[in-house]
Amino acid sequence: MNFFKGLTWDHPRGYKPLQAWAQLDDLVNVQWDIQKLEGFESHPIDELAEKYDLLIVDNPGIGEAVEKNCLLPLESFLSLEQLDFLKKNSIGNSYESYRYGGQHWAIPIDAASQVCALAGDIAKTPPITWDDVILLSKKSNQRIVLSLGGPHALLTFYSICLSFGDLLFKDNRLIIKQEIAIHALSIMQNIYQQQDKSLIDLNPIGLLDAMAKGKIDICPAIFGYINYADPSHSLPITFCDIPHAGQSILRGSILGGTGLALSSRCTPTPELIQHIMGYVSESVQKNLVVDNEGQPANIAAWRDEYTNKQTGNFLSSTFNTVSSAYVRPKYQGYIHRQDAGSKVIREGLKLGSHPEVIFAKIEQVFSL
């Protein structure tokens, strides 16, 4: 039996369904190691690719991985029929998000975007627009927070800009209009002024943990996690579409999720390919993945009655947002700029800097 080593991230959503599927397969032996989410950022992709055959990756990091010759293109080991299956059955832009240099470099196995998260009674009347969010933030009984840790301050900024119909990039060049940027940053400042400042550095998992413990009522733009919507939890979180700025068609969310990539050291066998494609099949994504706290990428799973019953309608309630979510640039060096731009926003919010000053610094980061 062929043996393959894989590396995934340390949240149940990231490893439980992959490990469960591996245990069921008698034709191929896949061992999944687990690494902290931050480890994928701190460990160069080329070092990981030397040790592992399978890597769970996110779409913005594809450019660096390809430029370092770390991955195999899907076109080198999947048939046209299999590629067409992925294209037609992956939700939203999940499949295209792993395209770089004319080829695709990862199989979408998990789909996500920023959505709105609510706890308690506020879930009965979720905010529809960003104006609604600002009004909620000014109510003393509503504990509101923005997702600002790591890259998320910039991603929240992106989302609000997109909701006003603006473009973010053209040919990898930042082209956000100044008036839109100032408006978006003003919205963020209005909300930040009302929130618990100690939460500014938390990532989405940290914020959702706090929300599940009853410490937060609303986060208007945060990457959704199916696990927290489980109706059996003592305080399940309700997820819904992200607020818009007046036109519901402009959801303004940023696409996340993960893909399964094969490293350049890997020699895929027919059994391994069958194993991987089985994992993204409709039946496995609907049942095994969701039953093991995973978040599917197959569009049929997002529409399925069973999966939605199991997850407090997490999938159907955020379907429109995830389906239209924006794909970030993937050029080599983008991740560094994303982190730097997010840091600029966090510091600007802490200092109460004028939005025009904050945006000028963001533009400087992306002009380097």
Side-chain angles (χ1 to χ4, degrees):
M1 182 184 296
N2 295 299
F3 174 74
F4 297 93
K5 284 190 68 175
L7 183 66
T8 186
W9 50 300
D10 69 338
H11 190 273
R13 171 180 149 192
Y15 64 83
K16 284 187 67 175
L18 287 169
Q19 291 178 337
W21 182 237
Q23 290 173 2
L24 290 177
D25 197 331
D26 296 327
L27 298 178
V28 64
N29 185 353
V30 179
Q31 173 188 308
W32 284 102
D33 290 348
I34 300 169
Q35 179 173 249
K36 287 187 176 297
L37 185 59
E38 292 78 8
F40 284 96
E41 299 171 356
S42 60
H43 282 83
I45 185 68
D46 48 342
E47 292 182 10
L48 298 177
E50 290 177 359
K51 300 176 182 178
Y52 292 93
D53 304 291
L54 310 176
L55 293 169
I56 301 303
V57 298
D58 60 2
N59 63 78
I62 289 295
E64 178 184 353
V66 173
E67 295 299 334
K68 290 184 175 181
N69 298 311
C70 295
L71 307 178
L72 296 178
L74 303 189
E75 286 78 1
S76 70
F77 61 88
L78 295 184
S79 67
L80 292 176
E81 183 180 9
Q82 289 168 327
L83 292 169
D84 189 56
F85 171 84
L86 295 174
K87 181 178 181 179
K88 291 179 178 178
N89 292 279
S90 301
I91 186 172
N93 290 313
S94 295
Y95 176 63
E96 285 305 310
S97 71
Y98 299 104
R99 181 180 177 88
Y100 182 84
Q103 293 181 297
H104 297 82
W105 302 90
I107 294 170
I109 64 166
D110 173 301
S113 78
Q114 294 161 308
V115 293
C116 182
L118 307 157
D121 291 339
I122 194 173
K124 299 175 183 177
T125 54
I128 305 300
T129 68
W130 282 104
D131 284 342
D132 294 338
V133 174
I134 292 173
L135 289 175
L136 281 173
S137 73
K138 294 178 179 178
K139 293 183 178 180
S140 59
N141 64 328
Q142 299 297 346
R143 295 165 299 172
I144 191 167
V145 66
L146 290 173
S147 180
L148 301 170
H152 299 282
L154 184 69
L155 303 186
T156 300
F157 167 69
Y158 281 171
S159 278
I160 301 174
C161 290
L162 286 167
S163 73
F164 285 100
D166 204 6
L167 299 175
L168 301 185
F169 292 89
K170 182 178 181 181
D171 299 328
N172 295 331
R173 181 170 55 88
L174 187 74
I175 58 169
I176 300 173
K177 296 183 183 70
Q178 185 184 53
E179 60 269 27
I180 296 295
I182 290 173
H183 195 172
L185 290 166
S186 296
I187 289 173
M188 293 179 71
Q189 284 184 325
N190 270 295
I191 298 169
Y192 178 72
Q193 287 169 5
Q194 310 301 322
Q195 79 168 54
D196 181 345
K197 307 301 186 294
S198 68
L199 304 174
I200 191 170
D201 292 318
L202 291 185
N203 63 21
I205 294 173
L207 291 175
L208 292 171
D209 281 341
M211 186 174 284
K213 294 173 182 175
K215 298 179 180 179
I216 301 170
D217 297 318
I218 174 173
C219 184
I222 187 170
F223 279 94
Y225 276 73
I226 198 170
N227 324 74
Y228 294 92
D230 187 337
S232 67
H233 284 183
S234 57
L235 184 58
I237 295 172
T238 298
F239 294 88
C240 62
D241 286 320
I242 196 170
H244 57 75
Q247 297 185 57
S248 60
I249 195 171
L250 297 175
R251 287 291 172 188
S253 186
I254 302 301
L255 186 68
T258 59
L260 193 159
L262 271 61
S263 72
S264 53
R265 88 165 200 165
C266 181
T267 302
T269 63
E271 292 80 11
L272 178 63
I273 295 171
Q274 181 180 337
H275 177 82
I276 293 170
M277 292 305 294
Y279 185 78
V280 294
S281 67
E282 181 176 327
S283 61
V284 172
Q285 290 267 299
K286 281 182 179 180
N287 297 287
L288 179 140
V289 169
V290 172
D291 289 344
N292 285 277
E293 299 186 59
Q295 194 158 306
N298 187 292
I299 194 169
W302 282 74
R303 292 170 168 160
D304 186 67
E305 183 177 349
Y306 170 78
T307 59
N308 277 286
K309 183 179 180 180
Q310 294 294 102
T311 61
N313 292 317
F314 171 89
L315 300 166
S316 60
S317 297
T318 60
F319 182 88
N320 290 334
T321 297
V322 178
S323 295
S324 60
Y326 178 86
V327 179
R328 285 165 280 173
K330 293 182 280 289
Y331 61 85
Q332 189 171 12
Y334 169 76
I335 296 294
H336 170 73
R337 289 174 170 83
Q338 179 176 267
D339 291 339
S342 197
K343 182 178 179 181
V344 164
I345 293 176
R346 275 194 304 277
E347 291 178 348
L349 291 175
K350 289 177 181 178
L351 295 172
S353 302
H354 192 281
E356 188 172 339
V357 173
I358 299 174
F359 184 55
K361 291 181 179 180
I362 294 172
E363 288 187 307
Q364 186 177 13
V365 165
F366 280 94
S367 68
L368 299 177

